[in-house]
Amino acid sequence: MAEGLKLTCLECGAVNRVPEAKLGAGPKCGTCGARLNDGKVRALDPAILQKATKTDDIPLLVDFWAPWCGPCRMMAPEFQKAAQALAPRARLAKIDTQDHPQAGQRHDIRGIPALILFRRGRTLGHLAGARPADEIEAFVRKSAGVSG
């Protein structure tokens, strides 16, 4: 069995194993070739969200948002800054609760933006409301034990 960290491709949903030492070297999905951990925020669909939250060995912070939400749109650049700062030790993604209301219901989202941090099938923490990048980073570092 291959050693390494399990990462779900946020584009195609394939589970990949990446040696921890190669995490920062721009690993790509063995199925579709998409970058697995490049510091960019990815949009998820419910199936990939469910698979990644259960499977991934590194923290995944998901922003539950909607395009009509002003605070969500204002936070988007800050969320992207946090994604770049936390890579390769954590990944950030988002799911549109307008297009995928069942995802919001499944995770008991009552207001947006709402951030939930996952790893290996566990919820590590919740953060409500629009936040600046430094608060998002601090939340992930503290809740998941991600080093600097």
Side-chain angles (χ1 to χ4, degrees):
M1 182 162 101
E3 293 296 320
L5 300 173
K6 289 186 285 183
L7 292 176
T8 303
C9 176
L10 300 181
E11 298 293 329
C12 74
V15 177
N16 295 263
R17 285 201 178 268
V18 177
E20 190 167 0
K22 303 277 185 183
L23 203 53
K28 293 182 180 179
C29 176
T31 302
C32 74
R35 294 225 180 255
L36 294 172
N37 196 4
D38 59 1
K40 293 183 180 173
V41 175
R42 298 282 192 258
L44 303 178
D45 66 33
I48 292 176
L49 170 67
Q50 184 174 1
K51 192 172 192 179
T53 59
K54 287 184 178 182
T55 305
D56 284 11
D57 286 328
I58 67 170
L60 175 66
L61 181 65
V62 180
D63 175 16
F64 292 81
W65 75 290
W68 51 261
C69 169
C72 297
R73 291 194 321 268
M74 287 175 37
M75 188 180 74
E78 295 296 305
F79 197 66
Q80 180 58 54
K81 283 182 204 172
Q84 291 169 339
L86 291 165
R89 301 321 251 161
R91 298 193 298 173
L92 278 66
K94 61 183 182 175
I95 188 158
D96 183 339
T97 58
Q98 178 176 312
D99 287 347
H100 306 291
Q102 70 277 24
Q105 292 167 353
R106 178 183 181 103
H107 294 284
D108 199 27
I109 302 299
R110 299 188 184 265
I112 55 174
L115 307 177
I116 303 179
L117 184 62
F118 301 96
R119 182 173 50 201
R120 296 182 193 121
R122 292 186 54 227
T123 299
L124 302 178
H126 295 82
L127 193 61
R131 305 296 176 120
D134 61 337
E135 285 186 26
I136 296 168
E137 290 172 46
F139 167 69
V140 172
R141 291 186 198 289
K142 180 180 178 194
S143 299
V146 172
S147 60

